[in-house]
Amino acid sequence: MDDTLSNTFSLTAFQQDLASSDQRQLLRWADCELHAAFIRHAEGHEEPALIQVDESSRYIASTQADTLHNLLAGAQLEEGSEAVIRSLPLHELARNAHLFRVGLHILDGEEGLYLEGPTTLVLGTAAVVESPEGDEVIYQAEIFFFEPLDEARTLPHGTVQYWYDARPTHTQSDGQTASIYVFDDRLDWLDPLFPDLPDGARPLSTLSPDARAFFERMRLPLLKRQEKTPATPAEPDRRYHNDLIKDQVLYSFNQLRAMVDRDIVPAASGISLKVVETLRSEEETDDATMSWEIRVGFTTPLGVEAHFDPNWVSASLCQANAELPDTTGTHGASEALRERIVDHLTWMFFQQGRNFFLMRFNECLEGLLPDVIINSDKPYQPDYTDHRFPCLARFQCGEHPVPVLLLGQQDGNYVCQPLKDVDIEEKHVPTLIPRRSSLIDMTRNTMMLSSIGERWVLPTSLIDFPEYWYEGIRLSNQNLTSKFVSSMRVNTLLNEYEKGGTANSSAAKWLIAGCVAALIGVIAMMNL
């Protein structure tokens, strides 16, 4: 084979740039080619060779092909397999090492260097490019993977990408570069089965040549590892049925629900509801006004601690619901409440899969418990035995199709939780909405729908269930699970620092910020 590489890589000089923490200096090495060890299996499939050192798996690369040949000469391979050497740019090796959660070991003569974590993240997913405003910036890219409709209908991974400022927060003295979404505008995004593009997403064709090259680099085919057992989708023990939505459009939802039921939510006995009485104001003297703070938490079957934001609930509403605690303390969940948690999380994941916004996973159990309704005198009291709720639906408000989570019914109306922030002109606000006039901001002549902490009652005539919302292409289930796990790990880290009394130290803050930044781009690829 040709031992000539397109760019000369010097491990000594690279280590100096790595030690400097200067990302621009580090990224100048990203295009350097290295020799990498691959295994060609009997059927012709090639994948990077993995070596095991202590407890870490790592790809192996070198500046010299002979070094790898000598290293692999005594390797024991499966029958019919052989070792081969391929030349690849450092950014491609680093990108795959990051996505597959392995390290990268680089050899240069007698010297060696092990890369992992933040280093492979930057080398593999960041680049210096020209921003849409014409500035030279360091963008880091998160790519999205999609759940196929069928063998013939899907979106290739990387068709939509999220680019954000790659610089550590404490180095952004000149301000943070605005994050952007970029999409391949050669595809027909008017297709109703495609996911909704974020507002302000940038068409690929409008970007600078170096930005377009970075986009294409990020969606190159992965250096897939051969799975010992093919990944199969989770099959539900029972099919989800909802009288409001046709069964035939719920295949994708069923697959996602089975995964949430298997990998996210434990048995009812493993779910905790921590109930604490909140401090009363001087006006709150009656027991009927007493509020409880309720925190839902559990450890997932994958071993990840999941803690959700607290809800403040009227104690009398909880005591009136047979499925909820009637005293303060720590309680387990009933089977009916567990099923509602599975459905609630699944629908929130499902809606997240239809768009590309960064989801606040710690808030995704909003609407699970009793609450006030902003346009009704009566509170929302969930019926956990009514399996029609929750579910995703559309509130068609003028020209705005607003996704809502239906939570129940009250006096012939649906109790809804908006899933998108929308500011609607008064002329488009339906007159059938209860207490419509009180919802209008008269200074701006608009009605604001907020996705945070709001419950509404809306007439059933304003709600529908478009089939393509349930059948369309979504983010992959594995993508969503990984984001959930990463988010909960960050929450756990933050809670531990707060409990330990070190959250206010500058060192702890930079550590937390670094972990958050690293976890934003983490995508588990085990089943791809």
Side-chain angles (χ1 to χ4, degrees):
M1 63 168 291
D2 184 4
D3 288 353
T4 303
L5 298 176
S6 61
N7 291 299
T8 302
F9 182 88
S10 167
L11 189 59
T12 301
F14 177 80
Q15 286 177 302
Q16 291 173 349
D17 287 338
L18 183 60
S20 73
S21 299
D22 186 328
Q23 289 187 340
R24 287 179 182 269
Q25 286 293 100
L26 187 63
L27 287 170
R28 72 189 181 94
W29 297 98
D31 290 328
C32 288
E33 288 199 347
L34 292 169
H35 298 292
F38 277 71
I39 303 299
R40 180 180 296 145
H41 296 276
E43 71 280 5
H45 170 77
E46 290 185 5
E47 59 180 347
L50 278 174
I51 61 171
Q52 193 75 21
V53 179
D54 297 327
E55 296 182 355
S56 67
S57 297
R58 54 189 74 178
Y59 296 153
I60 185 76
S62 175
T63 57
Q64 300 169 0
D66 287 345
T67 301
L68 294 183
H69 283 300
N70 295 335
L71 183 67
L72 297 171
Q76 294 183 347
L77 305 178
E78 294 180 358
E79 184 177 354
S81 298
E82 62 175 330
V84 295
I85 309 299
R86 290 177 54 187
S87 297
L88 289 171
L90 175 57
H91 66 70
E92 189 62 8
L93 291 167
R95 180 176 73 105
N96 281 269
H98 165 67
L99 290 176
F100 285 110
R101 294 184 177 180
V102 299
L104 174 60
H105 199 103
I106 301 176
L107 299 172
D108 186 12
E110 298 297 322
E111 301 295 322
L113 179 65
Y114 176 58
L115 306 178
E116 63 176 344
T119 305
T120 54
L121 174 66
V122 170
L123 285 169
T125 66
V128 180
V129 301
E130 182 181 317
S131 73
E133 291 74 29
D135 302 318
E136 190 180 75
V137 299
I138 303 176
Y139 274 128
Q140 196 158 300
E142 177 183 354
I143 60 175
F144 295 95
F145 294 78
F146 300 93
E147 201 74 13
L149 285 178
D150 50 51
E151 292 184 359
R153 232 22 231 286
T154 190
L155 285 174
H157 74 263
T159 301
V160 179
Q161 301 178 17
Y162 175 65
W163 293 4
Y164 57 96
D165 196 326
R167 297 172 298 164
T169 305
H170 64 280
T171 68
Q172 297 174 11
S173 57
D174 57 343
Q176 186 175 30
T177 301
S179 58
I180 59 173
Y181 287 88
V182 183
F183 68 98
D184 186 347
D185 52 329
R186 292 168 293 190
L187 301 175
D188 179 15
W189 289 96
L190 296 178
D191 188 330
L193 293 177
F194 279 24
D196 295 331
L197 287 171
D199 294 338
R202 306 277 185 162
L204 177 62
S205 63
T206 65
L207 300 186
S208 62
D210 58 349
R212 293 198 298 270
F214 178 49
F215 184 94
E216 297 296 346
R217 189 185 98 186
M218 286 303 302
R219 65 173 181 176
L220 288 172
L222 299 175
L223 308 175
K224 293 184 180 180
R225 294 176 298 173
Q226 190 177 36
E227 300 292 343
K228 296 301 180 184
T229 55
T232 55
E235 289 295 334
D237 293 332
R238 63 175 179 81
R239 290 287 172 182
Y240 173 85
H241 172 75
N242 191 314
D243 291 338
L244 300 174
I245 307 171
K246 294 179 181 179
D247 285 342
Q248 57 266 36
V249 303
L250 290 174
Y251 174 81
S252 185
F253 177 84
N254 266 292
Q255 298 298 319
L256 179 58
R257 188 186 187 282
M259 186 200 69
V260 172
D261 187 43
R262 180 193 65 192
D263 295 339
I264 302 295
V265 183
S269 59
I271 300 172
S272 68
L273 286 81
K274 294 183 179 180
V275 184
V276 179
E277 184 177 339
T278 59
L279 295 176
R280 304 188 198 185
S281 65
E282 293 180 359
E283 293 80 14
E284 295 177 327
T285 57
D286 193 334
D287 285 343
T289 63
M290 182 172 61
S291 293
W292 286 347
E293 176 190 283
I294 302 181
R295 289 179 177 268
V296 179
F298 50 77
T299 299
T300 74
L302 297 175
V304 177
E305 291 187 25
H307 299 284
F308 301 89
D309 285 358
N311 288 269
W312 287 267
V313 182
S314 165
S316 60
L317 286 176
C318 280
Q319 292 166 335
N321 195 311
E323 304 299 335
L324 296 175
D326 57 4
T327 62
T328 57
T330 301
H331 306 263
S334 67
E335 289 297 334
L337 183 58
R338 181 197 181 272
E339 287 299 297
R340 177 61 66 94
I341 290 173
V342 171
D343 289 341
H344 200 105
L345 286 176
T346 305
W347 280 116
M348 293 297 282
F349 282 20
F350 193 85
Q351 170 59 17
Q352 172 67 14
R354 297 184 59 253
N355 60 61
F356 302 94
F357 296 108
L358 299 179
M359 185 176 185
R360 302 179 294 268
F361 284 99
N362 54 309
E363 299 175 359
C364 60
L365 281 184
E366 280 196 3
L368 176 71
L369 302 172
D371 206 346
V372 297
I373 300 173
I374 67 171
N375 61 334
S376 173
D377 288 331
K378 297 180 181 179
Y380 159 58
Q381 178 65 277
D383 179 0
Y384 296 115
T385 64
D386 190 339
H387 299 298
R388 295 176 300 168
F389 308 107
C391 70
L392 175 68
R394 179 176 65 181
F395 167 38
Q396 190 66 47
C397 193
E399 299 177 353
H400 302 276
V402 182
V404 294
L405 192 68
L406 302 190
L407 302 173
Q409 281 191 293
Q410 184 185 98
D411 298 334
N413 297 316
Y414 284 129
V415 180
C416 305
Q417 174 180 317
L419 298 179
K420 183 179 181 180
D421 297 334
V422 184
D423 210 12
I424 301 169
E425 293 183 36
E426 180 185 10
K427 64 182 180 181
H428 295 309
V429 179
T431 58
L432 294 175
I433 296 179
R435 300 190 173 185
R436 178 185 183 275
S437 60
S438 66
L439 303 174
I440 304 296
D441 181 344
M442 301 309 296
T443 61
R444 297 185 300 127
N445 289 323
T446 62
M447 181 181 76
M448 178 66 188
L449 289 170
S450 174
S451 61
I452 302 177
E454 287 191 355
R455 317 287 173 261
W456 295 59
V457 287
L458 296 173
T460 58
S461 60
L462 300 180
I463 300 296
D464 65 359
F465 308 86
E467 293 185 6
Y468 64 88
W469 275 27
Y470 310 97
E471 292 184 303
I473 299 170
R474 302 180 302 103
L475 299 184
S476 77
N477 294 343
Q478 192 62 43
N479 207 166
L480 292 169
T481 302
S482 178
K483 290 176 183 295
F484 174 82
V485 168
S486 296
S487 174
M488 289 303 168
R489 283 177 174 159
V490 170
N491 286 346
T492 299
L493 181 66
L494 293 171
N495 290 336
E496 288 176 353
Y497 272 99
E498 289 174 357
K499 290 178 182 178
T502 60
N504 292 324
S505 72
S506 59
K509 286 182 178 179
W510 294 133
L511 177 59
I512 292 171
C515 289
V516 171
L519 285 171
I520 286 176
V522 170
I523 301 174
M525 301 299 301
M526 295 85 72
N527 294 328
L528 287 177

